[in-house]
Amino acid sequence: MPKTRQQNQNSLYLSPVITIVIISILSPLSLASQPSKFRRAPRFVGKLSRLTEPPQRQQQQQYRYETRYFEQRLDHFSFADLPTFSQRYLINTDHWVGPNRLGPIFLYCGNEGDIEWFAVNSGFVWDIAPRFGAMLVFPEHRYYGESMPYGSREVAYQNATTLSYLTAEQALADFAVFITNLKQNLSAEASPVVLFGGSYGGMLAAWMRLKYPHIAIGALASSAPILEFEDIVPPETFYNIVSSDFKRESASCFNTIKESWGELVSVGQKENGLLELTKTFHLCRELNSTEDLADWLESAYSYLAMVDYPYPSDFMMPLPGYPIREVCKKIDNAPDATSILERIFEGVSVYYNYTGNVDCFQLDDDPHGLDGWNWQACTEMVMPMSSSRDKSMFPAYDYNYSSFKEECWNDFNVIPRPRWITTEFGGHDIKSVLKLFGSNIIFSNGLLDPWSGGSVLQNLSETIVALVTEEGAHHLDLRPSTNEDPDWLKKQRETEIKLIEGWIDNYYRGKKATFNM
C-alpha cells in the first residue's frame, strides 16, 4: 500500500479536473506532554445510527420498503442446540423484473447499526435499481438495531459468552443463509446477487464476495479499510489523513488544534480548571477529566474528516458543505482576544451544533463504552492506531498492544486476536493473492476519508479495481444523487454502474451458454 495520498498509476483515479481513464492492469496518555493511554481505533459512522432519530417520514416515503424478519441460527459453525434469533431485513421489489427474467438482487451488507439508517443513507442503490430491474434487500447485522440474539440488547450484551457470536464471520454467514433462503422462496435461484456496502459494510461486502463467490457475482466496497490490520499500513495513517484534511484548509487552523491539547491540560490542572472547561465548552455536566473532553474533540475532528462532503448533509449531524472549511473559518476568524480553547469551541460547534438548537453538550452517550463495535474491536477488528509527532495535529502516542489487551480484558474478559482477520480474509500481499483468486470487486475511496489509508487504492487485477477520488469522503458514492453533485462524483458513479453492468451481462452470457449446451 502506498504511504502517500498521491495518485497511483494503477488505480482508476477520479479527480475534479481530469477525465476518468480506466487503466488496464498488466499483471494519553491523556494528552500532549505524557505517553498515551490505550486507545481503540476510531469508530465507523454506524455507531451514530443508534443516536440519531428514526428516518424522517419524507425519507421513508422516498424509499419505500417492507420490513420483514428471518429466523437465523445463533452459531452457523456448530451443531449445538442454541436459540435462534430474528434478523430484521428491509425489502423493495418495486422495480424487480422477477425470477423468470433473472432479475438481479442488490444486497446491502448491514453495518454496525440500525439497518433503516443505512438504507435511507444509501441512495445510490435506490437510484440505480430501476435501471437494472433489481430487487433491493437490506439485511441487518446481528447484535445491532432490532436483530438481537437472546431477545434483547440487555441480555445479548450481558457478557463475553452472550457476545461471543458477534463476529464478522457469523454476520457473513447470516447474509449467505438469508439470501439463499430468499431466492428459494421466490423461485429466483438463478437471479444474480450484487453486494453493496460502505465502511464496515464495505469490508463485509468485499469479504463476502471472496468467501461466498457462488452466492454473489460482485461487490461494491465503498470506503472499506480491509488493510487496516496488523502492520499492513502504518498505524499513524488514519490520524495523518484527518490532520492533512484540516491542514489543506488552513495551516493556522491545524496549528491551533495542535496547540490546544496542551492548553486543555494546562487549564484542567488549575484550581477549578475542570469547571472552567465545563463552562467554556457548554457541557451539561461538570467535566470529570480533561481526557473525556479530549476524546469528545478528537471524535468531532475524525468524523468531520469522514463526512467532509462537498454539499450540505445530515448523514451524521446537520452539516454544511465542506464542513472542515467552516470549522477552520470559525477557529481562524475569531476576534484577536479569543483564547485558543474558545476558538476550538467555536470550531467544533459546527459539528455538534450547526443548527444552533443545542443548549449544552453530553460528552458520552454510552458511559460504559460496551457497545457492539467496542466488542468487535476487542476481539477480531483489531486496528492498530497511533499519532505521529510531526504530521498529526493530535497528541502523539504509539500503538501499545499490551495496553490494548489489558483494557479489553477489563471491559469484556476477552483477549484480542489481532491476526485473525488476516488469517480469515487475507490482507498481506493482497495484490498477488487476489489477482489469482478474486474477481468482481470495486474498491471505491475518497482521499479525504481517513479510512482510505487502510483500503485498496490501486487495481489488483482487471476485475478487482480501485476507484479513487481526490475530493471524496466516507462512502460518498453511496449517498443519494443530488443536483449539487460535482462532475467527478457523477463520473465515479457512472463507472461503477458500467462495471456492475459488465458483471451482470457476463453472468447472463454464462447462463445462456449453459442453457444452450
Side-chain angles (χ1 to χ4, degrees), residues 435-456:
K435 185 176 182 180
L436 295 174
F437 300 107
S439 64
N440 293 2
I441 302 175
I442 302 168
F443 289 101
S444 63
N445 283 280
L447 294 183
L448 297 182
D449 179 16
W451 290 112
S452 67
S455 188
V456 176

Side-chain angles (χ1 to χ4, degrees), residues 359-390:
D359 295 324
C360 66
F361 300 99
Q362 299 279 0
L363 295 192
D364 56 343
D365 56 271
D366 183 2
H368 304 293
L370 303 183
D371 64 349
W373 183 252
N374 276 347
W375 163 265
Q376 291 188 261
C378 269
T379 49
E380 58 181 5
M381 292 293 169
V382 181
M383 299 180 177
M385 292 280 169
S386 68
S387 178
S388 65
R389 296 188 182 279
D390 299 326

Side-chain angles (χ1 to χ4, degrees), residues 8-12 23-26 431 457-460 466:
N8 188 298
Q9 62 180 358
N10 290 332
S11 65
L12 298 184
I23 303 173
S24 63
I25 304 301
L26 297 177
K431 184 171 184 178
L457 301 179
Q458 61 176 345
N459 294 347
L460 304 182

Side-chain angles (χ1 to χ4, degrees), residues 269-382:
Q269 290 175 342
K270 297 189 316 184
E271 185 178 358
N272 296 321
L274 294 179
L275 180 59
E276 180 180 337
L277 291 173
T278 299
K279 293 178 179 178
T280 299
F281 287 91
H282 297 202
L283 306 181
C284 299
R285 296 196 303 268
E286 185 170 349
L287 193 61
N288 291 321
S289 71
T290 54
E291 189 175 341
D292 291 342
L293 181 55
D295 288 346
W296 186 70
L297 295 172
E298 180 268 319
S299 292
Y301 301 140
S302 297
Y303 285 133
L304 280 162
M306 291 185 218
V307 295
D308 198 21
Y309 298 147
Y311 51 74
S313 69
D314 58 358
F315 178 36
M316 292 167 58
M317 302 282 194
L319 292 172
Y322 290 117
I324 289 180
R325 183 173 302 165
E326 299 306 313
V327 169
C328 285
K329 285 180 181 178
K330 291 288 188 180
I331 291 175
D332 290 343
N333 297 337
D336 292 342
T338 309
S339 71
I340 288 180
L341 295 183
E342 288 170 338
R343 290 175 185 270
I344 294 299
F345 172 72
E346 291 298 322
V348 297
S349 291
V350 171
Y351 177 75
Y352 285 117
N353 192 22
Y354 185 63
T355 62
N357 295 328
V358 180
D359 295 324
C360 66
F361 300 99
Q362 299 279 0
L363 295 192
D364 56 343
D365 56 271
D366 183 2
H368 304 293
L370 303 183
D371 64 349
W373 183 252
N374 276 347
W375 163 265
Q376 291 188 261
C378 269
T379 49
E380 58 181 5
M381 292 293 169
V382 181

